[in-house]
Amino acid sequence: MRRPLVAGNWKMNGSLQSIQELLATITAGVADGIKADCAVFPPFPYLGEVERLLSGTVVRWGAQNVSQRAPGAFTGEVATAMLLDFHCTYVIVGHSERRALYGESSAIVAEKFAAARKAGIIPILCVGETLEEREGGVMETVIAEQLDAVIELEGIKAFDDAVIAYEPVWAIGTGKTATPEQAQEVHAFIRGRLATHDADVAARERILYGGSVKGSNAAELFAMPDIDGGLVGGAALNGQEFVTIIKAV
Ligand code: 13P
């Protein structure tokens, strides 16, 4: 049985004050028990404050990105050891915004995935196609390439300490959610791709859906057999809405 995960990716949003309010709402909202794991992903400068506010609660936290390198002369980068100082459980790697805006190739993403695992941090590997790729009929090729880069570097067993998030680029921040059937189809493809290497790992793998998840559509998405929770952007910045999504599991 896969335990669902609902993850809130705050992207480059928030302030010390807004984070305190947001986390107060979330922790109060989940205090009576939840059927999923849940976690938030603040910008780096707020990790210490998030750790302070969430320690002792059921809500975990992680980072939105990490360097694949050991500490050294890499201006502006953050190493896995630094995330461990703040007891991050997870780190997102390969978000489409990192791939598209900051030129992260699948090879770099695979190295970040490897660095996270080596440090004992659970990577959440994001994969997904653009609208152009979907309409051009290369969706599966694109997603397979994103997965294969990691499988080749780390091996299939590595997915036992990892989470995958399917985030169709055309559904991110657009209000255009994939239908549950569209998402399920791709989730089944991803699980099938893993199963060609190891059926047991594939069956255990948590695959989250991301892209305009809201309180109003979460339940129907999470009800699909291969969708094991969500990676939520905009709606995770509203405490009540995020709690509604967690409770939709
Ligand atoms: P939205 O939920 O705002 O579409 O963002 C999804 C996302 O990119 C989460 O990582």
Side-chain angles (χ1 to χ4, degrees):
M1 200 42 200
R2 298 185 295 267
R3 184 168 167 87
L5 169 64
V6 176
N9 175 9
W10 295 352
K11 308 193 179 183
M12 198 172 73
N13 293 293
S15 64
L16 266 186
Q17 193 191 337
S18 74
I19 284 171
Q20 288 165 359
E21 293 164 6
L22 179 55
L23 292 182
T25 307
I26 294 171
T27 49
V30 300
D32 57 349
I34 47 175
K35 298 197 199 90
D37 290 337
C38 70
V40 296
F41 294 78
F44 290 128
Y46 302 129
L47 278 172
E49 179 69 358
V50 167
E51 177 184 23
R52 188 180 73 80
L53 293 167
L54 292 181
S55 293
T57 76
V58 296
V59 186
R60 304 290 86 197
W61 57 93
Q64 300 170 16
N65 182 29
V66 72
S67 172
Q68 68 274 39
R69 301 178 198 277
F74 303 106
T75 301
E77 293 290 289
V78 172
T80 53
M82 299 167 188
L83 301 188
L84 285 178
D85 271 344
F86 296 100
H87 302 96
C88 288
T89 302
Y90 305 96
V91 62
I92 298 170
V93 297
H95 191 280
S96 64
E97 286 149 19
R98 303 286 329 161
R99 293 180 191 260
L101 304 174
Y102 301 97
E104 288 187 11
S105 64
S106 290
I108 292 174
V109 172
E111 287 178 21
K112 292 186 175 205
F113 181 103
R117 280 191 64 246
K118 195 169 164 212
I121 303 170
I122 300 170
I124 300 181
L125 171 69
C126 298
V127 299
E129 83 289 357
T130 62
L131 188 59
E132 207 179 16
E133 288 161 346
R134 174 172 276 258
E135 290 177 345
V138 295
M139 174 178 83
E140 293 189 350
T141 314
V142 167
I143 293 171
E145 184 270 335
Q146 293 169 341
L147 290 173
D148 291 352
V150 177
I151 297 171
E152 276 159 30
L153 186 70
E154 283 286 270
I156 189 69
K157 298 275 190 223
F159 283 86
D160 265 340
D161 355 282
V163 174
I164 295 174
Y166 168 56
E167 297 207 308
V169 177
W170 48 272
I172 295 177
T174 57
K176 234 188 188 184
T177 323
T179 64
E181 293 73 24
Q182 278 175 321
Q184 166 58 28
E185 189 189 349
V186 182
H187 282 234
F189 168 75
I190 293 169
R191 202 177 301 288
R193 185 97 190 164
L194 299 182
T196 62
H197 297 271
D198 189 318
D200 295 333
V201 172
R204 287 192 291 265
E205 185 65 18
R206 291 193 285 186
I207 308 177
L208 315 184
Y209 168 78
S212 298
V213 176
K214 301 185 275 275
S216 57
N217 61 21
E220 54 178 15
L221 286 160
F222 298 167
M224 301 311 279
D226 287 297
I227 300 183
D228 308 310
L231 181 53
V232 185
L237 296 170
N238 178 311
Q240 288 300 351
E241 182 92 6
F242 191 56
V243 169
T244 302
I245 295 169
I246 295 167
K247 297 213 160 170
V249 167

